[in-house]
Amino acid sequence: MAEMAANGQEPEVLFWVGCAGSFDDRYKRVTRAFVQILEHVGVKYAVLGTEESCTGDPAKRAGNEFLFQMQALTNIEVLNGYNIKKIVTACPHCFNTIKNEYPDLGGNYEVIHHSTFLQQLINDGKVHVQGGEAFKGKRITYHDSCYLGRANDIYEAPRDVLAALDADLVEMKRSRANGLCCGAGGAQMFKEAEPGRKEINIERTEEALATLGAEGVIATACPFCMVMMNDGVKNKEQEQNVKVFDIAELIAQAEGLTK
Amino acid sequence: MIGISNIIFLIVAAIGIGLFVWQIRKIRKNVLMGRDLVLEDNPSERINKTLLVAFGQQKMFKRMLPAILHLFVYVGFLVINIEVLEILIDGIFGTHRVLGFMGPFYDGLMAVNEVLAALVIVACAIFLWRRNVTKVPRLATGVEMRAWPKMDANIILMIEIILMFALFAFNIADLKLAELKGHELAGAFPVSSMFVNAFGADAGMLATIASVGWWIHIIGILAFMNYLPSSKHFHIIMAFPNVYFSKLVPKGKMTTNPAITHEIKAMLDPSYQPPAPEVDAEGNPVIQRFGAKDIEDLTWKQMMDAYTCTECGRCTSVCPANITGKLLSPRKIIMDTRDRMEEKGEHPAIFKPNHYKEMGVERVETTEEKTLLRGYITPEELWACTTCNACVESCPVNIDQLSTIMDLRRYLVLEESAAPASLNAMFTNIENNGAPWAFPASDRFNWADELYLPSKN
């Protein structure tokens, strides 16, 4: 972004990568897949790179309002400094925080989650999903992210994106507004779960496995969900049969951008 | 024809209504112990929501069987209010079925009323069955579902059945009496006419039955009305304002504390002038807690939530923490709030406080502290929450359990620095590296190293 600004240019959209997208080895693949889609369709985009910082979501949900606002105010200063108007992100937590909580602190942007962004690209015919046949007959179940679904009422966009793949979409018993949390939200990602009978991600993975049958794909649209579902699948020793992918990866694959 | 019975009725009605008003004032006072909050934006959206969710029962229909049964009882309650109006007029002025002059409309009204009354009995019987025989898990289990909440539910259902039977006794006897005297009784009675011979043909006896039925029905209603403020059944009133004042912004948006914003802005920019702090009546600055430790740290809306709760347990039954056996139960958070509020404020009850804690063994280990936090709700419960909003989504009367959980968490972190160690480590990482993980900010762009970009070939 700094480079673009130095050249006196402004991006159409800023891709907010997020901490998971920057540091988590698995989610870096999603970041790359999404960037490849952006390149493919020729959108003029930018990333903040090392100037990006945590939105403050985990701090806020853990109750640390002070740290959250420190992060938010600093980020807003950077974003406003570059005159950013439109932001796209592959993380529902970043999406929710920037979209809903930054305006109170002086950060007003058009914030789009990558599921909505991808849906628009497909609707506009910019992404054709030519290799979609590869998914024909494959069972895919979409796991709703709480921060996309219940928190922001985005249920259809990721499903529409998956529908473009011509795969066999199956719904879990608890889906959409009744979806079950992966167990990582509200800063749970960063701590041990409280004592109980079971881990939440195991409960959810069992539900996904029961829906998919012998093999298939669990589609996610959130880095936390991806980690939790992957852990669950490994815990059930099903990683050979059931894969967890982000919707951006599936689109990039279908479009022949990644292998 | 105003006689002694009318005067007695007038006194009974005045006592009943007066007592109810007295209790409502106490509840209002309790709710107003909470922090100020302005919720006057978008009245049209609020009215819409009230029509859909409260009047239209929209969210009840996530579960079909209870939704339909509840609908019978709810519509029965709405329609019967018209008849209660008639009863009041009849009672005061010694008239008999005063609204009968409305002809066909009255016929229809009575007919609908009778069918609904019968459905109410059926629904309540099934509800009793579900609670006591099949023991629907969300109604029967949970640390907070003890002697009192269970008894409360049964009392409500029994009273409703008795009220309906009294109404039928009155109608049947009245119908038979009219038949004996050979004149037409205003109204149509599809159910009562089936049982018209139930009480024999003694005119004196029938008059007594009609009168007893009538008195039981109206005294029952007045008594029941005064039972409401002590009971979960108070939702029949509170659901409407509570839905009106519900959250209109996306569920993911949590409140921002402006006091903290000023503090940070002053820290980042020494020339920043924060606004003068609020002062109380004596001119001393008001120092508010960050987050909530006790009742008065919550907002009046969160207090209202507590009085609206029907203890149906839909929130708890969808809570991922609860499903997997953790201590958190969103319903308990709300019931605790109400109990603490009545402990610190006033008991609306005229006979028995609503403390579920007082009846049953403590199953969540709380401390001796007399505050909502720790005295009622433990940190372990709070830390189990994933903020997934499933509880909020499931509540048929738009209670925001999550906002209360979050405010209590904030107190733990901001005032006591009592977060679990792993969360403190996460805070430190964010402070030092700008990420919840211990990776240096300089590595943030490393994902691009392995990126194959055709355009950059």
Side-chain angles (χ1 to χ4, degrees):
Chain A
M1 179 66 229
E3 224 172 281
M4 216 180 229
N7 295 333
Q9 291 179 314
E10 273 186 15
E12 274 173 60
V13 57
L14 179 93
F15 173 30
W16 184 275
V17 181
C19 300
S22 307
F23 298 118
D24 179 82
D25 283 336
R26 178 67 190 85
Y27 220 67
K28 276 197 232 172
R29 302 211 316 252
V30 178
T31 304
R32 290 195 282 266
F34 188 63
V35 163
Q36 277 161 333
I37 295 169
L38 290 173
E39 293 278 342
H40 175 67
V41 298
V43 177
K44 200 167 148 197
Y45 72 98
V47 293
L48 285 177
T50 53
E51 285 185 278
E52 196 183 284
S53 188
C54 173
T55 58
D57 162 83
K60 183 164 187 118
R61 313 297 134 180
N64 196 338
E65 179 71 12
F66 198 89
L67 179 56
F68 160 72
Q69 289 201 19
M70 280 289 278
Q71 287 298 118
L73 289 165
T74 317
N75 283 327
I76 288 167
E77 207 170 317
V78 173
L79 290 167
N80 288 352
Y82 286 125
N83 197 24
I84 299 297
K85 304 220 165 47
K86 195 169 166 182
I87 298 174
V88 64
T89 177
C91 175
H93 295 266
C94 298
F95 165 75
N96 176 68
T97 303
I98 302 175
K99 175 177 165 278
N100 295 322
E101 287 164 359
Y102 278 23
D104 283 352
L105 299 166
N108 293 289
Y109 321 100
E110 182 191 347
V111 192
I112 311 167
H113 183 254
H114 80 321
S115 57
T116 311
F117 193 82
L118 290 170
Q119 182 201 18
Q120 283 166 1
L121 289 179
I122 292 168
N123 288 353
D124 297 348
K126 287 183 182 154
V127 171
H128 306 286
V129 213
Q130 293 111 331
E133 289 88 41
F135 291 93
K136 203 158 196 161
K138 228 182 183 163
R139 284 167 90 84
I140 300 184
T141 190
Y142 172 67
H143 161 75
D144 282 282
S145 144
C146 306
Y147 273 83
L148 210 53
R150 275 190 295 269
N152 288 291
D153 283 322
I154 298 177
Y155 299 110
E156 298 312 320
R159 286 181 170 81
D160 287 352
V161 171
L162 292 172
L165 294 174
D166 198 25
D168 185 9
L169 283 184
V170 282
E171 290 288 349
M172 283 185 254
K173 209 172 110 207
R174 286 178 280 210
S175 66
R176 293 197 171 83
N178 303 322
L180 183 74
C181 176
C182 70
Q188 298 292 345
M189 183 73 164
F190 308 100
K191 63 184 261 300
E192 287 295 311
E194 314 308 309
R197 276 193 309 274
K198 207 190 229 180
E199 298 299 325
I200 294 168
N201 65 325
I202 303 297
E203 170 88 8
R204 186 54 164 171
T205 307
E206 283 169 0
E207 199 169 51
L209 294 179
T211 311
L212 289 174
E215 55 171 27
V217 171
I218 300 175
T220 60
C222 167
F224 290 1
C225 296
M226 171 163 274
V227 169
M228 299 310 266
M229 291 295 106
N230 257 324
D231 284 355
V233 170
K234 276 185 201 135
N235 181 284
K236 295 275 158 192
E237 295 175 349
Q238 290 296 317
E239 61 264 47
Q240 294 305 317
N241 310 320
V242 173
K243 305 276 179 218
V244 185
F245 284 116
D246 185 89
I247 55 168
E249 291 178 295
L250 294 172
I251 293 298
Q253 264 181 52
E255 197 73 351
L257 301 171
T258 52
K259 279 174 199 151
Chain B
M1 270 219 329
I2 295 181
I4 182 82
S5 69
N6 305 117
I7 293 166
I8 293 172
F9 176 82
L10 205 61
I11 293 167
V12 170
I15 291 174
I17 293 167
L19 222 50
F20 183 67
V21 171
W22 177 65
Q23 294 195 74
I24 293 297
R25 289 172 66 107
K26 286 177 157 201
I27 285 179
R28 192 184 134 81
K29 217 170 146 188
N30 282 355
V31 168
L32 292 178
M33 283 193 294
R35 278 190 196 178
D36 241 0
L37 180 71
V38 182
L39 290 176
E40 272 150 31
D41 54 314
N42 292 311
S44 59
E45 196 185 338
R46 291 185 182 283
I47 289 167
N48 257 336
K49 221 171 199 175
T50 311
L51 290 176
L52 271 174
V53 177
F55 283 98
Q57 308 275 296
Q58 189 191 37
K59 289 176 90 179
M60 281 299 287
F61 281 86
K62 287 195 153 199
R63 296 178 195 228
M64 262 337 230
L65 177 72
I68 291 166
L69 296 175
H70 182 268
L71 193 69
F72 292 155
V73 181
Y74 162 69
V75 178
F77 162 73
L78 288 188
V79 174
I80 220 156
N81 276 320
I82 308 176
E83 205 189 335
V84 171
L85 187 73
E86 179 183 55
I87 289 176
L88 286 176
I89 301 173
D90 281 351
I92 295 166
F93 299 106
T95 48
H96 185 69
R97 297 191 181 268
V98 69
L99 300 179
F101 72 91
M102 290 190 285
F105 178 77
Y106 187 76
D107 291 353
L109 181 69
M110 285 300 117
V112 168
N113 225 333
E114 281 231 313
V115 171
L116 283 170
L119 288 173
V120 168
I121 293 174
V122 172
C124 288
I126 298 174
F127 283 148
L128 280 169
W129 181 268
R130 281 162 60 85
R131 278 182 184 273
N132 300 292
V133 182
T134 58
K135 293 197 183 346
V136 173
R138 68 186 160 90
L139 303 173
T141 55
V143 288
E144 66 280 16
M145 294 314 279
R146 302 194 191 148
W148 170 249
K150 284 181 183 166
M151 193 161 77
D152 183 25
N154 286 331
I155 290 172
I156 295 159
L157 293 168
M158 301 291 246
I159 293 179
E160 280 173 2
I161 291 174
I162 291 169
L163 286 176
M164 294 306 115
F165 272 119
L167 183 71
F168 278 125
F170 167 62
N171 280 351
I172 293 168
D174 211 18
L175 205 59
K176 181 75 183 174
L177 216 49
E179 198 183 286
L180 287 181
K181 288 180 185 163
H183 58 68
E184 192 93 339
L185 183 65
F189 305 93
V191 179
S192 293
S193 53
M194 287 194 281
F195 300 97
V196 77
N197 293 318
F199 301 128
D202 178 340
M205 190 64 199
L206 286 171
T208 309
I209 292 171
S211 170
V212 169
W214 189 90
W215 277 97
I216 290 180
H217 188 67
I218 186 61
I219 291 178
I221 285 177
L222 289 171
F224 197 32
M225 187 168 85
N226 279 292
Y227 177 72
L228 296 184
S230 317
S231 153
K232 79 189 195 75
H233 209 51
F234 201 39
H235 79 277
I236 65 168
I237 294 169
M238 297 304 283
F240 301 95
N242 202 61
V243 171
Y244 182 83
F245 290 117
S246 55
K247 186 171 171 176
L248 298 183
V249 293
K251 287 194 192 68
K253 178 176 173 152
M254 284 165 187
T255 52
T256 310
N257 186 332
I260 292 178
T261 316
H262 296 312
E263 225 173 287
I264 296 174
K265 282 189 172 163
M267 232 170 68
L268 296 174
D269 172 12
S271 66
Y272 179 79
Q273 282 291 330
E278 262 183 80
V279 288
D280 61 14
E282 283 123 45
N284 302 314
V286 182
I287 297 173
Q288 275 188 342
R289 275 182 189 142
F290 290 136
K293 182 187 190 185
D294 209 352
I295 286 306
E296 65 278 0
D297 306 324
L298 295 171
T299 67
W300 62 260
K301 173 59 175 64
Q302 288 165 323
M303 313 282 244
M304 198 184 225
D305 279 348
Y307 274 119
T308 311
C309 181
T310 320
E311 300 167 14
C312 69
R314 290 175 182 229
C315 52
T316 294
S317 74
V318 296
C319 171
N322 193 277
I323 287 170
T324 54
K326 292 157 185 88
L327 213 47
L328 176 63
S329 162
R331 171 174 57 189
K332 177 176 174 290
I333 304 288
I334 300 301
M335 286 166 75
D336 281 335
T337 305
R338 179 171 177 165
D339 274 5
R340 173 63 186 149
M341 195 160 51
E342 292 186 354
E343 182 181 67
K344 199 162 193 179
E346 296 184 46
H347 297 311
I350 45 175
F351 47 95
K352 181 86 183 150
N354 190 26
H355 282 190
Y356 78 80
K357 286 188 89 174
E358 286 177 8
M359 294 176 82
V361 192
E362 195 56 59
R363 275 175 279 178
V364 171
E365 243 174 78
T366 52
T367 64
E368 290 300 305
E369 274 174 81
K370 281 274 179 196
T371 47
L372 183 62
L373 182 65
R374 296 212 170 84
Y376 285 79
I377 300 167
T378 59
E380 185 182 334
E381 292 165 75
L382 299 171
W383 289 119
C385 175
T386 68
T387 70
C388 76
N389 265 307
C391 51
V392 180
E393 176 72 38
S394 72
C395 181
V397 290
N398 283 3
I399 289 171
D400 191 348
Q401 298 89 337
L402 183 52
S403 77
T404 301
I405 294 173
M406 278 309 302
D407 281 343
L408 291 161
R409 255 194 198 181
R410 282 180 183 159
Y411 179 84
L412 283 173
V413 173
L414 297 171
E415 300 264 359
E416 292 187 346
S417 302
S422 46
L423 287 185
N424 281 329
M426 180 263 285
F427 296 151
T428 312
N429 286 333
I430 293 181
E431 267 170 53
N432 296 340
N433 311 325
W437 294 285
F439 294 111
S442 54
D443 284 355
R444 224 175 228 284
F445 210 16
N446 289 359
W447 57 266
D449 294 348
E450 290 169 48
L451 191 64
Y452 169 70
L453 291 177
S455 63
K456 290 193 180 155
N457 253 350

